[in-house]
Amino acid sequence: MLWSLKEIYKALDLKIEITKDFYFKNISTDTRTISNGSFFIPIEGANFDGHKFVDQASDLGVKASLVEKQKQHLIKNKKIHQILVDNSKDALKKIAEYSRKRIKTLTVICITGSTGKTTLKEWTKEILKNRFIIHYSKGNFNNEIGMPITLANMPKKTRICILELGMNNPGEIDCLTKIAKPNISIITNIGLAHIGNFKFKDDIAKEKSDILNYLNPEGTAILPGDSDYSKMLCDKAKSLTKNVLTFGSTNRCNFNFSDRGEKEIIFSILGEKISFKQNDYFINWKKNVVIILGLLKVFKLTLSDFKKFVDKLKPLQGRGERILLNIKEKKILLIDESYNSSPNSLEDALINLVKLKSNYKRLILIIGDMLELGKMSQKFHLNSIKKIISLYPDLIITSGKQTQCIYEQLPKSFNKVHINNYKAIFKKLIKYLRDKDIIMIKGSNSTKLYKIINLLKEEL
């Protein structure tokens, strides 16, 4: 079992008030994922209060739950054992910290960045699981609830824990890093995602750098060496640890890569060279692989032993996944970029299309809003026009309030349309599609453009 009731009391530094110990196989904040082996933590969110579901949890067989002292009146079922706390979010953090500390041989890898952190996390897990017992953040469990829940559910035999740290507002990275206490801190890049919640890009860089705050002298920092903020990040890291490593496309980086011919990539990892064939036109493939190879070196592993696993890495669903569709005898390549969008990730997605386009007859772009850009939103949306024009898509569909400006500023000669309803976009597509078309769908998740992908798959 993962936890005992006594351990939870100990983690919370509370007097143990039980006559019988219970054991739990997981900790959950969501009654949709619990069973009779769960420990329940009710969290008050923007749209609901988990305390209203404690009775339901008890009916499902849950034997114990945290309960905030001022909300005891909401619990009618007295069968469930209540551990009273002042604040359930703070209590969750304490449980997560205790879980992290109780594995003495654990290595925690924390990853943050404006883009690419989820793909790097998933790919790192895929590579390292071949040698170690791995625990990692599922999906986008990277915020003040998701990350601590991931730690709280970490099996005791875990050797390496890989955590993604996200942020929307100032202070969040520091808070998460304080809980996780990483042995290895990685920053993928400094971009413009969430710029609407910050005054300047420098503020984003400072926030991301907080992932370094709790490194000890034996810890390792892996930082972008080609960034405008490389010096600032490295200087901060060097004040905390003696192990500061950089990655990028130049020789001055400890982990670097260079092209040899059209598809062969040479990686140099602390002087050791290894080559790969890049089978996927995916702009961040090289950046992610060079970090992963660097991690293998940090763990003193033989790079060539993992080559076959690196060769199998593919873009994730919603983050550049390539899907071959056969719709009414028409072979279509769909590029699913529907999970999120920011100025940097949109530019990368458009660059990825340059080589892919030559293998298909027509290119169709569906571009949805980029969100959380604040007052700079129109400027960043308009910045994408030059790249769109260079691709000269056979059809471009814009969708959302923010992309209206793209539609209006594209040349009149373009085959363009602005549609705000995903069902209407789908109907337009079905009528327009021909054999050997390539479609890219890109937008922030809340634009719901992913639903077009689901509808296209239903046509198979």
Side-chain angles (χ1 to χ4, degrees), residues 11 37 43 63 109 161 195 230-231 303 313 332 344 374 411 417 451:
I43 301 291
K63 295 179 180 179
I109 301 171
C161 181
I195 188 65
S230 296
K231 186 177 185 306
L303 301 185
L313 297 173
I332 310 296
N344 302 96
V417 62
K451 292 189 175 183

Side-chain angles (χ1 to χ4, degrees), residues 1-4 7 102-103 105 154-159:
M1 285 294 182
L2 188 64
W3 287 90
S4 69
E7 266 194 307
R102 70 181 177 177
I103 305 175
T105 58
M154 180 170 57
K156 295 177 183 178
K157 292 183 179 180
T158 301
R159 173 66 177 83

Side-chain angles (χ1 to χ4, degrees), residues 2 93 403:
L2 188 64
K93 292 174 184 177
T403 56

Side-chain angles (χ1 to χ4, degrees), residues 210-450:
D210 284 350
I211 197 172
L212 306 169
N213 287 354
Y214 300 93
L215 282 177
N216 63 44
E218 301 303 316
T220 300
I222 300 178
L223 306 170
D226 297 339
S227 169
D228 293 339
Y229 296 96
S230 296
K231 186 177 185 306
M232 181 274 282
L233 295 174
C234 288
D235 286 348
K236 179 172 180 176
K238 287 174 182 176
S239 71
L240 297 162
T241 177
K242 61 183 180 181
N243 303 309
V244 180
L245 302 166
T246 59
F247 65 89
S249 59
T250 59
N251 289 334
R252 69 174 180 269
C253 296
N254 304 107
F255 314 147
N256 62 74
F257 54 83
S258 58
D259 297 337
R260 179 190 287 174
E262 190 168 330
K263 283 192 173 183
E264 188 177 11
I265 314 296
I266 306 298
F267 293 91
S268 178
I269 311 299
L270 295 175
E272 180 181 347
K273 296 188 184 303
I274 185 169
S275 66
F276 286 86
K277 292 226 182 275
Q278 184 174 356
N279 298 317
D280 206 312
Y281 296 121
F282 184 57
I283 192 171
N284 287 321
W285 182 89
K286 290 180 279 192
K287 295 178 183 177
N288 287 332
V289 168
V290 80
I291 296 171
I292 291 168
L293 294 174
L295 276 171
L296 293 175
K297 198 74 170 176
V298 168
F299 285 113
K300 296 180 169 46
L301 297 170
T302 303
L303 301 185
S304 58
D305 289 349
F306 294 84
K307 190 169 184 176
K308 62 183 178 181
F309 303 117
V310 172
D311 284 335
K312 294 178 182 178
L313 297 173
K314 297 292 181 185
L316 307 180
Q317 180 180 358
R319 295 175 171 89
E321 181 186 20
R322 312 286 163 77
I323 305 168
L324 291 172
L325 303 176
N326 197 326
I327 300 174
K328 297 178 181 177
E329 299 184 353
K330 300 167 186 173
K331 294 181 180 178
I332 310 296
L333 175 64
L334 172 63
I335 302 175
D336 179 6
E337 287 274 5
S338 63
Y339 182 77
N340 215 338
S341 191
S342 67
N344 302 96
S345 67
L346 175 57
E347 181 181 5
D348 288 348
L350 293 171
I351 291 171
N352 286 337
L353 287 173
V354 173
K355 291 184 178 180
L356 280 172
K357 182 187 175 186
S358 62
N359 296 324
Y360 290 83
K361 291 181 178 178
R362 301 191 309 172
L363 171 62
I364 302 166
L365 292 183
I366 302 173
I367 306 294
D369 286 350
M370 296 182 284
L371 303 179
E372 298 185 19
L373 298 179
K375 295 178 181 178
M376 303 290 284
S377 181
Q378 185 177 62
K379 175 186 175 182
F380 289 130
H381 280 83
L382 289 175
N383 284 348
S384 67
I385 288 179
K386 185 176 179 181
K387 182 62 68 177
I388 292 171
I389 290 174
S390 71
L391 284 166
Y392 207 92
D394 297 272
L395 170 65
I396 178 165
I397 301 173
T398 52
S399 182
K401 292 181 180 179
Q402 305 301 323
T403 56
Q404 180 79 36
C405 63
I406 296 177
Y407 167 75
E408 292 172 352
Q409 294 299 316
L410 282 170
K412 292 182 180 180
S413 60
F414 267 53
N415 183 12
K416 58 179 182 174
V417 62
H418 187 80
I419 305 174
N420 285 328
N421 182 284
Y422 75 88
K423 291 181 180 179
I425 295 174
F426 170 72
K427 289 179 181 178
K428 171 78 174 175
L429 272 179
I430 289 299
K431 290 179 181 179
Y432 187 79
L433 284 177
R434 293 181 191 169
D435 188 45
K436 294 207 75 176
D437 279 348
I438 179 172
I439 309 168
M440 186 185 79
I441 300 178
K442 179 72 173 174
S444 291
N445 193 44
S446 57
T447 63
K448 298 184 179 180
L449 293 182
Y450 64 87

Side-chain angles (χ1 to χ4, degrees), residues 2 99-100 103 106 135 150-156 158 161:
L2 188 64
S99 179
R100 192 256 182 268
I103 305 175
L106 181 70
H135 184 66
T150 298
L151 268 180
N153 281 298
M154 180 170 57
K156 295 177 183 178
T158 301
C161 181

